Amino acid sequence: MAGVSSESLATALADLETKLPTASLSLADELFGILRIVDSSAGLRRALTDPSREGAEKSALVERLLAGKVSSEAVQIASRLASLRWADSRDVSDALETLAATVAIAVAEQGNGEAAGLGGLERLENDLFAFNRRVEDSHELQAALSEPQATSDAKRALALRLAAGASDEALLLIGQAAAAPRGLKSTELVKRFAALAATRQARWIAEVSVARPLSETQLDRLQAGLNGLYGRELKITTTVDPQLMGGVRVAVGDEVLDASTLARLADLRRQLAG
């Protein structure tokens, strides 16, 4: 997915972010259900990605189609997705799949106790990889999950038996990958879901670069400051980089906080050059 579709997906994910702290697994399941509806109709996909249609018109179409079938929250998310611009008819389905998986991953992130935050995401990722290892180690299981004569429900049931003991979030994603791999091997789609979980994990990890090792007191202060700034208990990894000369550089996901001497010198050089 690239160009306008990539921009639309980024917009949809940013909108979704505000709903994730209180999202439920049933919402993810509903969005996967909407995906099945969209995937079942080429005409609907064309209507939702027709560049000559206004966003409001496409939103209204989705609202009429889904009224009374799913929650108002699921309708709102799908309606907003439909209002955006898409370069290809498949892109809107791919985006809907990404949003549904992201909701399931965020529910794992909510968790409880040690299973919350980074712990919940790590468990989810481990469950997904465990399923893939089991399938990839067996030609019989690979054949069963790709058997064209087998029903989607049968493939889902087999996958859920193989993943017995996994978290509810992992079971939803694994079941979806087995029942509706959408042109991929089920294990390949599980890998995509795991990659989304890994991206979400990055929000909980602060990669700190310093010119010289920090003392325990400095680390404690840094931990408290970053936790307060981001509103969550971050895992800190530190790297000593003498080239920084002084200060600290912190990367949390895609966000970089650079208070190093090297960065300040670079700013000064740009000002002098200007």
Side-chain angles (χ1 to χ4, degrees):
M1 191 182 299
V4 66
S5 291
S6 180
E7 294 172 4
S8 293
L9 176 58
T11 297
L13 286 170
D15 290 344
L16 182 67
E17 192 65 36
T18 62
K19 304 179 185 298
L20 294 182
T22 58
S24 66
L25 200 56
S26 63
L27 176 60
D29 196 25
E30 286 181 324
L31 293 175
F32 278 131
I34 296 171
L35 172 61
R36 287 191 289 274
I37 294 172
V38 173
D39 271 349
S40 69
S41 173
L44 176 59
R45 291 195 302 277
R46 286 194 296 270
L48 295 179
T49 55
D50 184 347
S52 67
R53 286 178 176 247
E54 293 292 333
E57 181 184 358
K58 294 187 292 181
S59 289
L61 171 62
V62 168
E63 290 168 3
R64 290 194 302 271
L65 179 66
L66 300 178
K69 298 178 181 177
V70 294
S71 67
S72 59
E73 190 171 29
V75 173
Q76 183 182 29
I77 292 171
S79 172
R80 171 60 172 151
L81 195 69
S83 73
L84 301 171
R85 296 175 60 224
W86 304 96
D88 185 83
S89 62
R90 182 184 169 91
D91 289 349
V92 70
S93 293
D94 289 346
L96 189 52
E97 182 180 70
T98 298
L99 295 186
T102 299
V103 171
I105 291 164
V107 174
E109 183 180 36
Q110 292 170 16
N112 290 299
E114 292 183 359
L118 183 59
L121 293 171
E122 288 176 338
R123 182 192 173 186
L124 173 61
E125 191 175 27
N126 289 338
D127 286 343
L128 297 177
F129 283 138
F131 169 79
N132 269 9
R133 284 193 299 270
R134 186 164 186 184
V135 173
E136 289 168 350
D137 286 344
S138 170
H139 294 299
E140 290 78 9
L141 291 176
Q142 293 172 39
L145 288 171
S146 59
E147 170 56 54
Q149 300 303 317
T151 66
S152 295
D153 287 343
K155 292 177 182 177
R156 186 192 306 273
L158 171 59
L160 296 183
R161 288 198 300 273
L162 295 174
S167 66
D168 290 344
E169 299 82 23
L171 291 175
L172 177 63
L173 295 175
I174 289 168
Q176 175 68 21
R182 306 182 63 245
L184 298 174
K185 291 181 179 179
S186 58
T187 50
E188 288 301 315
L189 186 50
V190 168
K191 287 178 184 176
R192 286 192 181 183
F193 292 154
L196 289 174
T199 298
R200 193 123 190 118
Q201 283 183 41
R203 301 171 62 254
W204 293 83
I205 301 172
E207 298 178 350
V208 177
S209 298
V210 291
R212 58 188 61 84
L214 299 177
S215 68
E216 289 296 324
T217 299
Q218 289 172 320
L219 276 172
D220 289 343
R221 289 174 179 168
L222 180 62
Q223 179 82 64
L226 290 174
N227 289 350
L229 178 62
Y230 286 94
R232 51 185 179 268
E233 186 77 19
L234 297 178
K235 177 181 178 180
I236 292 181
T237 64
T238 59
T239 302
V240 176
D241 182 1
Q243 292 185 351
L244 294 179
M245 292 183 285
V248 61
R249 181 180 185 275
V250 179
V252 180
D254 294 331
E255 186 173 355
V256 176
L257 308 174
D258 198 337
S260 67
T261 301
L262 186 63
R264 292 196 293 272
L265 287 174
D267 287 340
L268 179 58
R269 282 196 293 270
R270 283 192 291 270
Q271 292 172 18
L272 290 173

